[in-house]
Amino acid sequence: MNSHDRGPRLPPPRGPLSAAVAARLRGAGPLPRPAEAEEADTYGDDPQLALYLCYELHYRGFAGVGPEAEWDPDLLRVRAALERRFLSALRADAPGHDSLDDALAALLVEPVEGSGVSHFLCAEGELWQLREYAAQRSLYHLKEADPHAWVLPRLWGRAKAGMAAVEFDEFGGGRAGRVHARLFAALMQDLGLDSAYGRYLDAARAEMLAVVNLMSLFGLHRGLRGALVGHFADVEITSSPASRRLAEAMRRTGAGPAAEFFYDEHVEADAVHEQVVRHQVIGGLLAEEPELAADVTFGIDATEYLEDRLGRRLLADWRAGRSSLRTPLMPQVSHTS
C-alpha cells in the first residue's frame, strides 16, 4: 500500500467549489477561478468544504491523492481566494473587544446560568446528542493540537517554550497512549462511533468545518501567528470548565469510562495550560512583539464567533428534536456487549 492510500476518502462535494477541488485532487477537471471562490457564501457548506479539502492536504491528505497536491500552485491560488473571503468576513462579523485585557477577562468569567452546548449536555443532554457532538468534534480532536503546532517555528523565547510545554502535554508527554487524539478515539469507541480519522467529515455541518478551518488558517500563515496564539488562549482558558460539564454528561448518560476520562483529563490539564498560555505564551509573545496584541485579540474574537455559531446550530437542532448532522449515525453498539 502506498502512503497516499492510507488517508480518509474524499467526501461527496457540497457545491461547485468543493466539486472542482475534489475533481482536481482526483486528477481531473478544471479548478474554479479565484474570483468565484471570493464570491461564495463565506460560511456555507460549499466554500467551507473546499477550504477544508485544501487544508487537509497539509495533514494526512486523502486516499488516492498524491503528496504533490499539497503544493499544487493552481490549487493554492484557489485556497488563497477562499482564505481572503473567510478572513475578511471574520474581521467584519466577529464582535471586537476594545483590548486584549478585555477579551481575556471575558473568557475568564463563568456565567452563573450558562446556556451553551456544554451546559445543555450536562443538564439534559441525551446519549444520542453526545454521540453527535463527538462525531462533529472528531474533525478536530482526532488531530488535536496539530494545527497549533504550526506556530512553533514562528515563536521564540518565552512564548516558544510555553507553547512547546503545552503541546508536549497535548501529545501525551512522550507516551503514545496518552496522546489526546488517541484518548478521543477511545471516547468515540465508548460511544459506539467509528474512530477512523476523517470518518465523519461528510456528516459534519459547515459550522464545524469553519471552526476547524480557522485553526488551519491561523496556523499556516506566519502573519497570523498572533491570531493563532489568541485562538489557542481561547481554547485553553474555556476548556477546563466546559470539560467538567461534559465529563458529568458522560457519567450521567453512562457513556463509558474512556468517554469520561477524556474530559476528566482536560479538566486538570487545561487548568494548568491556561496559566501557561496567559503568562508564558501571550506574555512572552507581546514582550517581543507588542504590536501583535490586536491580532491576539482578533484570534479570541474570531474563535468565540465561530464557536457561538456552531453552538446555536447544535442547540437549535437538538431542541427541535432533530439531528445536528448532515447524515445520520449508525445505531450505537453498547461498549459492554
Side-chain angles (χ1 to χ4, degrees):
M1 176 186 292
N2 294 325
S3 61
H4 56 268
D5 290 331
R6 295 174 181 162
R9 294 181 179 178
L10 282 165
R14 304 186 190 183
L17 291 173
S18 53
V21 170
R24 178 68 168 222
L25 296 180
R26 293 188 180 97
L31 283 167
R33 293 179 297 105
E36 295 175 62
E38 292 195 64
E39 293 166 1
D41 174 18
T42 307
Y43 306 113
D45 275 298
D46 189 30
Q48 287 298 325
L49 180 58
L51 191 53
Y52 191 99
L53 296 179
C54 292
Y55 283 148
E56 191 57 36
L57 300 175
H58 299 290
Y59 297 100
R60 299 195 197 179
F62 294 97
V65 177
E68 66 279 359
E70 182 178 7
W71 301 111
D72 178 337
D74 294 327
L75 192 58
L76 290 173
R77 277 189 281 272
V78 172
R79 191 191 96 182
L82 290 165
E83 288 177 324
R84 285 192 295 270
R85 177 71 168 160
F86 191 28
L87 193 56
S88 175
L90 288 169
R91 292 196 185 281
D93 297 339
H97 284 91
D98 292 333
S99 70
L100 176 56
D101 286 343
D102 289 345
L104 289 171
L107 295 180
L108 290 165
V109 174
E110 270 284 288
V112 175
E113 295 195 14
S115 57
V117 170
S118 66
H119 292 89
F120 173 87
L121 291 174
C122 180
E124 56 184 296
E126 299 178 24
L127 195 55
W128 69 271
Q129 294 161 335
L130 287 170
R131 296 182 75 227
E132 290 196 352
Y133 183 73
Q136 299 260 21
R137 287 286 181 185
S138 69
L139 269 64
Y140 167 62
H141 281 305
L142 290 179
K143 59 182 173 199
E144 185 168 341
D146 289 351
H148 304 121
W150 294 111
V151 82
L152 283 168
R154 287 91 187 253
L155 302 176
W156 60 90
R158 190 152 54 101
K160 189 186 198 85
M163 191 77 187
V166 176
E167 288 283 273
F168 183 65
D169 283 351
E170 302 282 353
F171 293 133
R175 295 167 292 175
R178 296 298 293 269
V179 172
H180 284 188
R182 182 169 289 187
L183 296 180
F184 194 80
L187 171 150
M188 296 180 75
Q189 290 160 10
D190 262 5
L191 290 171
L193 298 171
D194 186 342
S195 62
Y197 183 88
R199 168 63 178 80
Y200 295 105
L201 174 54
D202 185 41
R205 293 288 184 181
E207 290 85 353
M208 187 66 227
L209 298 183
V211 166
V212 182
N213 283 340
L214 184 72
M215 303 180 205
S216 298
L217 171 65
F218 288 166
L220 286 167
H221 290 271
R222 184 172 61 86
L224 294 171
R225 62 194 178 280
L228 189 282
V229 166
H231 168 80
F232 195 57
D234 186 294
V235 170
E236 296 300 329
I237 290 171
T238 60
S239 174
S240 186
S243 293
R244 184 177 293 108
R245 290 186 286 270
L246 291 167
E248 178 55 34
M250 295 296 176
R251 272 186 281 274
R252 182 177 56 77
T253 57
E260 296 172 21
F261 181 77
F262 177 82
Y263 287 111
D264 283 335
E265 170 76 5
H266 281 69
V267 171
E268 180 178 348
D270 290 344
V272 175
H273 293 171
E274 177 250 313
Q275 296 291 319
V276 175
V277 172
R278 282 201 295 134
H279 299 296
Q280 297 295 111
V281 182
I282 294 179
L285 175 69
L286 297 185
E288 298 280 356
E289 301 180 277
E291 69 277 10
L292 293 183
D295 287 350
V296 178
T297 305
F298 170 63
I300 293 171
D301 291 336
T303 303
E304 287 293 293
Y305 176 69
L306 291 182
E307 287 286 356
D308 285 347
R309 288 184 79 255
L310 174 62
R312 289 195 300 271
R313 177 58 186 262
L314 295 177
L315 291 175
D317 286 335
W318 292 339
R319 285 175 174 147
R322 61 178 179 261
S323 173
S324 68
L325 298 169
R326 296 180 69 251
T327 56
L329 295 175
M330 295 292 291
Q332 182 180 10
V333 178
S334 172
H335 62 271
T336 61
S337 62

